[in-house]
């Protein structure tokens, strides 16, 4: 377990043990709330594949906190997890274990709420300042504009291990986050490459593929297999490294190779085009004139490919209906740079949903 003390001396009126449970990492953090501001005091991180549940990581995190400061005893626990949530329990989409709020509450004695991971990110979005470059990177439209956000719907898409989708409705006074499993909607091919990749995944899955198996970390992993089987890949040091590494780690090595190898570069360009097309579809559905946010480490690490030749925006702004294109051009597009947004979001959800 990796231990990070960020603001060990912070004061608070409310302390929440927040969790962000994804297919790759399990992050737990003590988040304090005071005077309208959330502060992350302590964060612990461990690979999700190395654990079989949250009991042990939570116990260890609480122990570390108590040994450092006697008052670091959270009043509430809020866990955001990657998967659908029902009856305060999440069946994880990309892990063999579940997150059961009632069981965790019985084990810790602390009121525990389980929410969808993108519900947490949605709760985190209102805490962000779009003009703070440490938190947000703005993507400019092809005409060079970056529209001002309106008091309207916000939406978020995040390619990580899987693909998350969330949105926030505006009721005239405040934002109301809502969860979604939009990453499992059907993938729509749009050119020869995306059609061939789609058909390969349809054959592999024996059904019409959703967006997630193509546009996510697992999507890049699947893209590598498709490319290797149908087109062949170079026999060079970059692809030897990709081949030798564990499949779940291949996306980062494809990204690294893309700056030097033309085939890896083509893979990244296809990934960005597919992400842009799905993002555009999501924006046509939600009309997030309050802001469209891209979340997740995958987007941050591959920002250069989104901006190179304006690739993301070129494909984001496309629509068969000429009356929809001006609407897409009015949507502010932001990349979330703050990795802790899920923990802040879980703490904010706790503040709003747990009394």
């Amino acid at each position: 377990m990796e231990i990070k003390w960020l603001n060990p001396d912070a004061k608070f009126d409310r302390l929440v043990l927040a969790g962000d449970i994804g297919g790759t990492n399990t992050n737990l953090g003590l988040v304090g709330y005071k005077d309208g501001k959330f502060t992350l005091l302590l964060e612990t991180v461990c690979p999700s594949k190395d654990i079989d549940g949250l009991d042990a990581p939570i116990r260890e995190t609480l122990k570390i906190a108590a040994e450092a400061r006697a008052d670091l005893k959270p009043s509430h626990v809020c866990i955001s997890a990657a998967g659908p949530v029902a009856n305060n329990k999440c069946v994880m989409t990309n892990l063999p274990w579940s997150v059961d709020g009632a069981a965790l509450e019985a084990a810790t004695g602390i009121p525990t709420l389980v929410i969808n991971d993108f519900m947490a990110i949605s709760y985190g979005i209102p805490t962000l300042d779009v003009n703070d470059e440490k938190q947000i990177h703005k993507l400019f439209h092809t005409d060079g504009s970056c529209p001002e956000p309106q008091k309207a719907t916000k939406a978020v898409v995040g390619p990580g291990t899987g693909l998350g989708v969330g949105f926030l409705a505006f009721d005239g006074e405040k934002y109301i986050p809502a969860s979604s499993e939009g990453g499992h909607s059907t993938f729509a091919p749009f050119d020869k490459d995306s059609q061939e990749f789609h058909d390969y995944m349809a054959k592999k899955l024996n059904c019409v593929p959703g967006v997630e198996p193509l546009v996510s970390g697992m999507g890049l992993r699947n893209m590598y297999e498709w490319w290797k089987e149908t087109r062949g890949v170079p026999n060079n040091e970059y692809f030897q490294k990709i081949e030798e590494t564990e499949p779940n780690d291949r996306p980062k090595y494809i990204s690294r190779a893309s700056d030097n190898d033309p085939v890896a570069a083509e893979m990244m360009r296809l990934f960005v085009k597919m992400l842009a097309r799905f993002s555009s579809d999501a924006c046509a559905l939600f009309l997030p004139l309050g802001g469209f946010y891209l979340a997740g480490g995958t987007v941050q690490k591959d920002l250069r490919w989104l901006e190179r030749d304006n690739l993301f925006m070129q494909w984001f702004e496309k629509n068969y209906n000429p009356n929809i294109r001006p609407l897409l051009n009015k949507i502010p597009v932001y990349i979330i740079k703050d990795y802790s947004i899920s923990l802040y979001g879980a703490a904010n959800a706790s503040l709003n949903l747990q009394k």
Side-chain angles (χ1 to χ4, degrees):
M1 175 182 283
E2 183 182 357
I3 302 166
K4 304 175 185 177
W5 283 102
L6 295 106
N7 298 283
D9 300 320
K11 305 296 183 184
F12 51 83
D13 295 325
R14 178 187 178 107
L15 187 66
V16 178
L17 177 62
D20 173 24
I21 318 305
T24 303
N25 288 319
T26 288
N27 297 57
L28 297 172
L30 285 175
V31 182
Y33 178 77
K34 187 176 178 66
D35 300 328
K37 182 182 178 181
F38 294 95
T39 303
L40 181 59
L41 287 78
L42 166 68
E43 183 177 9
T44 61
V45 185
C46 60
S48 298
K49 63 181 176 58
D50 291 349
I51 57 177
D52 57 9
L54 289 183
D55 286 4
I58 286 178
R59 281 198 305 270
E60 184 64 20
T61 300
L62 292 174
K63 178 184 175 185
I64 292 166
E67 288 175 349
R69 275 178 61 178
D71 64 333
L72 292 186
K73 296 178 180 178
S75 60
H76 298 80
V77 174
C78 184
I79 304 295
S80 70
V85 176
N87 300 318
N88 209 30
K89 181 177 181 179
C90 178
V91 177
M92 301 290 288
T93 305
N94 296 308
L95 287 173
W97 46 273
S98 300
V99 179
D100 187 331
L104 291 173
E105 185 168 329
T108 63
I110 306 172
T112 299
L113 174 68
V114 178
I115 62 175
N116 172 266
D117 59 337
F118 267 75
M119 173 74 89
I121 288 178
S122 296
Y123 267 104
I125 282 173
T127 72
L128 296 172
D129 178 357
V130 298
N131 295 312
D132 183 343
E133 294 182 357
K134 293 180 180 178
Q135 295 183 326
I136 292 291
H137 179 87
K138 297 179 180 179
L139 283 183
F140 290 87
H141 284 269
T142 55
D143 63 2
S145 67
C146 185
E148 286 297 313
Q150 302 177 28
K151 290 185 177 179
T153 302
K154 298 176 185 284
V156 57
V157 165
T161 303
L163 182 68
V165 178
F167 66 100
L168 301 88
F170 187 64
D171 70 357
E173 294 183 1
K174 62 182 183 301
Y175 280 98
I176 304 172
S179 59
S180 166
E181 287 297 329
H184 300 292
S185 56
T186 301
F187 177 79
F190 52 87
D191 64 5
K192 180 176 181 290
D193 288 338
S194 61
Q195 183 69 61
E196 290 181 4
F197 187 20
H198 166 278
D199 294 346
Y200 171 85
M201 290 308 301
K203 184 176 181 181
K204 183 176 181 179
L205 297 171
N206 197 31
C207 64
V208 178
V211 183
E212 184 177 76
L214 290 87
V215 190
S216 63
M218 72 170 72
L220 269 173
R221 186 185 70 202
N222 290 330
M223 186 192 297
Y224 170 75
E225 294 297 334
W226 159 64
W227 208 291
K228 184 175 70 169
E229 289 183 25
T230 63
R231 302 179 176 189
V233 295
N235 182 23
N236 59 30
E237 59 179 308
Y238 303 112
F239 278 89
Q240 286 173 5
K241 178 64 177 178
I242 294 167
E243 180 65 26
E244 290 168 1
T245 197
E246 182 184 356
N248 286 340
D249 289 334
R250 284 176 180 162
K252 68 181 178 183
Y253 288 105
I254 294 170
S255 176
R256 291 174 186 175
S258 66
D259 291 322
N260 298 289
D261 183 273
V263 174
E266 282 301 310
M267 291 180 179
M268 292 307 304
R269 275 191 281 267
L270 176 57
F271 176 81
V272 170
K273 289 192 291 184
M274 293 189 300
L275 175 60
R277 292 305 311 138
F278 177 66
S279 297
S280 184
D281 288 346
C283 286
L285 180 64
F286 294 121
L287 287 183
L289 296 173
F292 175 70
Y293 294 76
L294 288 165
T298 299
V299 174
Q300 294 181 44
K301 293 168 187 172
D302 297 323
L303 175 60
R304 65 197 187 283
W305 282 109
L306 274 72
E307 294 192 312
R308 191 170 296 173
D309 300 323
N310 242 343
L311 183 61
F312 179 90
M313 276 301 182
Q314 282 189 40
W315 288 85
F316 174 85
E317 293 174 355
K318 292 179 185 293
N319 192 281
Y320 80 98
N321 188 327
N323 296 319
I324 299 299
R325 294 171 203 156
L327 275 175
L328 294 172
N329 287 341
K330 291 179 181 177
I331 295 172
V333 181
Y334 306 122
I335 290 178
I336 299 173
K337 296 172 66 177
D338 192 338
Y339 277 100
S340 300
I341 184 172
S342 292
L343 297 178
Y344 289 121
N348 193 23
S350 173
L351 185 69
N352 283 272
L353 302 174
Q354 288 179 287
K355 305 302 179 185

